[in-house]
């Protein structure tokens, strides 16, 4: 099951990478699926990546055709992401074409949610910095509610998920 879920996340990342074109400025959130996205971007040219995720920074740090911007901030060891006021201040000064966002819960009622308040504040700052919000979430994230709300689902412009998402949820998302 874990291998199958990994394959699904790799597929989500692959689809997401197709949206990144030369000249784009993209924000990449922390998470397993966003790390896979970074791996698919290695061969892209003339893009700028802004991230708070150590795994994304590590994956892309030796790519001369990718401008890489770290948000800075306090390292949260559990998730290997940079958080805190420094990160939020930096994100206020930046603008991205699109944000690839990862959360731990997605529900139609509670919206997008996550487990850690410091990370939620950064995710909210990322949303404000992006012209387009693209949610990367496998089917296990849907109909889940985590501790802290990140934003209502209506802020999402596109959802990239796997084919195991029930049709009823797909229909509800399409209506939104």
């Amino acid at each position: 099951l874990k291998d199958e879920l990994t394959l699904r996340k790799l597929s989500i990342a692959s689809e997401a990478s197709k949206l990144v074109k030369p000249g784009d400025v993209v924000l990449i959130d922390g998470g397993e699926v966003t790390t896979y996205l970074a791996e698919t971007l290695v061969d892209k040219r003339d893009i700028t990546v802004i991230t708070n995720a150590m795994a994304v920074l590590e994956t892309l740090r030796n790519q001369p055709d990718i401008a890489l911007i770290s948000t800075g901030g306090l390292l949260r060891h559990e998730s290997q992401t940079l958080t805190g006021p420094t990160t939020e201040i930096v994100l206020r000064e930046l603008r991205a074409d699109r944000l690839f966002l990862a959360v731990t819960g997605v529900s139609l009622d509670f919206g997008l949610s996550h487990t850690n308040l410091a990370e939620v504040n950064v995710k909210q700052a990322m949303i404000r910095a992006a012209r387009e919000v693209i949610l990367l979430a496998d089917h296990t994230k849907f109909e889940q509610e985590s501790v802290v709300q990140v934003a209502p689902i209506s802020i999402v412009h596109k959802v990239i998920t796997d084919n195991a998402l029930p049709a009823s949820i797909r229909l509800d998302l399409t209506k939104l």
Side-chain angles (χ1 to χ4, degrees), residues 6 12 36 70 75 138 158:
T6 298
I12 291 167
Y36 295 146
S70 167
L75 178 63
D138 65 77
K158 291 182 178 132

Side-chain angles (χ1 to χ4, degrees), residues 42-48 60 62-68:
V42 167
D43 294 326
K44 296 279 185 178
R45 302 286 177 256
D46 189 32
I47 64 170
T48 299
L60 298 176
N62 291 321
Q63 303 308 313
D65 294 323
I66 297 176
L68 188 57

Side-chain angles (χ1 to χ4, degrees), residues 46-82:
D46 189 32
I47 64 170
T48 299
V49 174
I50 306 165
T51 189
N52 70 324
M54 298 304 293
V56 173
L57 289 167
E58 182 61 28
T59 301
L60 298 176
R61 72 183 178 94
N62 291 321
Q63 303 308 313
D65 294 323
I66 297 176
L68 188 57
I69 300 172
S70 167
T71 61
L74 177 68
L75 178 63
R76 184 166 184 271
H77 290 280
E78 297 84 354
S79 63
Q80 288 294 294
T81 57
L82 300 167

Side-chain angles (χ1 to χ4, degrees), residues 10-28:
L10 287 166
S11 175
I12 291 167
S14 177
E15 283 301 309
S17 73
K18 294 175 185 175
L19 299 175
V20 180
K21 306 293 183 221
D24 281 354
V25 176
V26 296
L27 254 167
I28 300 179

Side-chain angles (χ1 to χ4, degrees), residues 1-14 16 28-40 51-56 59 78-81 100-104 114 119 123 136-138 140-141 160:
L1 265 139
K2 186 177 181 193
D3 289 344
E4 181 182 331
L5 193 54
T6 298
L7 288 174
R8 291 178 184 280
K9 289 177 182 180
L10 287 166
S11 175
I12 291 167
S14 177
I28 300 179
D29 191 12
E32 189 176 7
V33 70
T34 54
T35 300
Y36 295 146
L37 171 60
E39 291 169 1
T40 67
T51 189
N52 70 324
M54 298 304 293
V56 173
T59 301
E78 297 84 354
S79 63
Q80 288 294 294
T81 57
F100 294 99
L101 181 67
V103 295
T104 55
H114 200 66
E119 288 184 35
K123 289 174 189 297
L136 306 182
D138 65 77
T140 66
K141 305 292 190 253
I160 302 178

